[in-house]
Amino acid sequence: MVIDTEQEKREIISRYRRLLRKAKPILKDGDAKLIKKAFTISLEAHKDMRRKSGEPFIFHPLAVAEICVEEIGLGTTSIISALMHDVVEDTDIELADIERMFGKKIARIIDGLTKIRGVFEYGTSQQAENFRKMLFTLSEDVRVILIKLADRLHNMRTLDSMPRHKQLKVANETIYLYAPLAHRLGLNAFKTELEDLYLRFTDRAIYDSIARNIDATKAARTKFIKQFMVPIKDELDKLKIEYEIIGRPKSIYSIWNKMRKQNIPFEEVFDLFAIRIIIDTSVDHEKALCWQVYSIVTDYYTPNPNRLRDWISTPKANGYESLHTTVMAKNGQWVEVQIRSKRMDEIAEKGYAAHWKYKDSATTAESNLEKWLARVRDLLEQNDHSALDFVDDFKGNLFSEEVFVFTPKGELKTLPYGSTALDFAFDIHTQVGSKCIGAKVNNKLVPINYVLKNGDQIEILTSQKQKPHEDWLRFVVSSKAKARIKDELKEDKKKLAEEGKEIVIRKLRQGKEEISPELMEQMREYFKMAANFDLYYRVGKGFITTADIKKFLENKPLLSKARHSNHAAEPRVLDTEIGKPKERYGDILLIGEDMDVVDYKLAKCCTPIPGDDVFGFVTVNEGIKIHRTNCPNAPELLSHHGNRVVKAKWTSQHEVAFLTGLKIRGTDRVGLINDVTKIISEELKVNMSSMSIHTDSGIFEGEIMLYVNDTRHLEQMIDKLRSVEGVVKVSRFDSKE
């Protein structure tokens, strides 16, 4: 690659000037000087570094700083932090140097953005640890997360130059953690783009096909919006208010999500686009005016009563305010109409950063977001669980939608969607949760696992005899409840372990055994326990009885002998065992040829077949599992354990059959099942593993598990089955493990 250094220098200066131009409206005295200083340090620090695409590394921090200014609306502190966010990680400059030059605040933000180094215990995940560390700084400064999101967005925009396995790892980590986090902080534009980019890099064929379909319908859509808005525009003009109307299609990812969840083709996604009416008015009048516009829209078009969403009266926890309704157009098509003020729109698009601009108006949205951040801090204080548990709790709890409920005195409480009466009890107080035996919802008695609905009024019933059970963890969803239950169970566990320890010591003394670390190690090995605590707990619980301990003491001499003879061979065997897979994993795993070298299985959750885009995942005790890149479990596997991913591809198959599933739907008639099985068994000579057909009021639905050679073979079968009279739809599905 020939590099024109002069041309590159000019490009760097040009990008730096563009950043300053965009930041100009927010700069105060002396800010430009500080930004120049940060840029110079970053330029020098990264002078010999290049990105995978071959361009100078400095392009990346400049782009991240530009996203912070232009797309989030952040200020000078964030620009400086973004320009230097990789300096500590990649060069000899230390945090102390940054603190000396730019002060404590910027040093703290950069510390939050610097990945954790060092060794991780077995069973933890580096990505989870990094994510937790980044969130710790959130409790002090939310800008850490906002800059991290800008960094991730730029990495996703430039992911083309990365190798395929890295693309999968980064894309899945993005959909698992960063897109929901952007949504939670109200950065709607970020969330949408991150989701679309995820789909582009994990399933390019589907992404391109939906994008083509959206483009093909663009002209018709524009014409339709114009006609739809004519009567509404006339009425809005009479009100003499400033307004703007935007028609925007649904994002590619959300269309795909709908197609996947409802198992429908593109043509059947009716709410392909939404019409947004944005009114420019003061905060005092915006609520009343939004309802006035709603009244105008529903005067001309019939609304769907089940589709009214009022986030003006009760904003979402991320501060989102808007009025949504779905109405029937004159051509029989459903159209979503979103009504909001200019302030609401800016908060919806730019999220948390926009709140500071409107902070003086002290809106409920602001306080809702503050409440959410307080919940994050509360979760961070429960710091004694593993990073993976933490990330799962964080994701499951803080990224979900909300449910709004009331206390007996009428106080509004916001809980994660899916919360139970027990979650509500823990939200009130730990002691109320721990002693909860049931609840009254709207004056009716309900069990503690009752799932709350919007508008429920709840009174908790308690008993001094009640205490938390392990089962409770199965149905609570809020991180507060989970953390408190785990803490209480841990106390119980400690007591049981203490009792178990006494029993073990007593039994060993009775057997005239000297209690030593070696003996405890032997005992742990015998009972297959990872730690002494686990061993004592199981003894205290009664899972390991005194008879089992006696048996161990009887077998002890044999164990010592076997151990001693194996000891010399151990290191060499271990080296070869560890060495061998590492060598293989660095390479590509060829499915169909490497069976004798590496132990791998096809994952049952997504039943991959030749022709599918796949990756290998190193499990703890089942060898390597092959998953499809669009497997429902892929985001979690790749975002938690990217280091355990193996590149994999199919080799030329020797006509091997793979199990996959088909869903068939249509109108019932005599002989239909016979026609379907004829095509599968006689025409295409395919073996079926199972078949279940259900008919109801003339409609039949069937699920067939069958063996095919590859994706081409499967497509051929789907086409044949679609031609059977009465069959309306045939689609592949992921079998549930």
Side-chain angles (χ1 to χ4, degrees), residues 238-351:
K238 286 178 196 167
L239 288 177
K240 294 190 168 45
I241 55 167
E242 292 286 317
Y243 67 88
E244 184 188 359
I245 293 167
I246 308 166
R248 46 171 58 186
K250 243 180 156 50
S251 74
I252 293 175
Y253 177 83
S254 58
I255 292 172
W256 171 73
N257 221 2
K258 196 153 204 174
M259 286 163 62
R260 191 180 55 159
K261 277 186 180 161
Q262 297 180 9
N263 208 356
I264 53 174
F266 179 86
E267 295 68 36
E268 286 176 34
V269 181
F270 294 120
D271 52 345
L272 272 175
F273 59 92
I275 287 170
R276 188 174 297 164
I277 302 170
I278 301 163
I279 50 179
D280 194 355
T281 182
S282 66
V283 176
D284 304 340
H285 298 116
E286 58 184 11
K287 203 184 274 191
L289 210 49
C290 284
W291 282 109
Q292 204 172 342
V293 174
Y294 169 78
S295 172
I296 290 169
V297 172
T298 53
D299 280 350
Y300 285 95
Y301 301 107
T302 311
N304 179 336
N306 301 323
R307 299 286 301 155
L308 173 65
R309 299 285 180 268
D310 172 14
W311 283 304
I312 291 180
S313 307
T314 48
K316 287 188 179 184
N318 65 4
Y320 181 86
E321 291 174 89
S322 191
L323 195 56
H324 293 196
T325 181
T326 303
V327 296
M328 178 72 79
K330 300 291 183 239
N331 65 350
Q333 189 176 346
W334 287 112
V335 181
E336 185 181 26
V337 181
Q338 302 172 352
I339 303 160
R340 55 175 79 151
S341 69
K342 201 169 176 187
R343 176 190 70 82
M344 293 172 190
D345 189 58
E346 197 170 337
I347 285 172
E349 292 305 308
K350 289 192 174 170

Side-chain angles (χ1 to χ4, degrees), residues 441-503:
V441 172
N442 310 326
N443 284 323
K444 270 192 190 155
L445 205 59
V446 296
I448 56 176
N449 62 354
Y450 167 84
V451 178
L452 305 176
K453 297 183 190 73
N454 275 329
D456 279 347
Q457 190 166 20
I458 306 134
E459 182 189 342
I460 297 297
L461 308 173
T462 58
S463 158
Q464 284 309 309
K465 290 178 182 167
Q466 179 69 295
K467 63 179 195 171
H469 300 280
E470 197 108 27
D471 292 354
W472 287 10
L473 289 167
R474 286 212 317 272
F475 57 80
V476 291
V477 298
S478 65
S479 59
K480 186 176 181 180
K482 280 182 183 171
R484 300 290 190 269
I485 294 166
K486 281 177 189 169
D487 288 344
E488 299 252 351
L489 290 172
K490 213 182 271 176
E491 281 306 308
D492 284 357
K493 248 184 166 179
K494 268 186 199 161
K495 281 180 198 159
L496 281 167
E498 285 298 320
E499 288 166 22
K501 187 176 182 180
E502 284 172 23
I503 295 169

Side-chain angles (χ1 to χ4, degrees), residues 391-426:
V391 170
D392 285 340
D393 271 4
F394 188 87
K395 176 166 169 41
N397 177 47
L398 298 176
F399 296 161
S400 57
E401 291 298 324
E402 298 86 31
V403 60
F404 299 99
V405 290
F406 296 93
T407 65
K409 288 183 177 168
E411 186 193 337
L412 179 70
K413 292 268 181 193
T414 308
L415 290 161
Y417 183 76
S419 287
T420 57
L422 190 58
D423 284 294
F424 178 85
F426 274 103

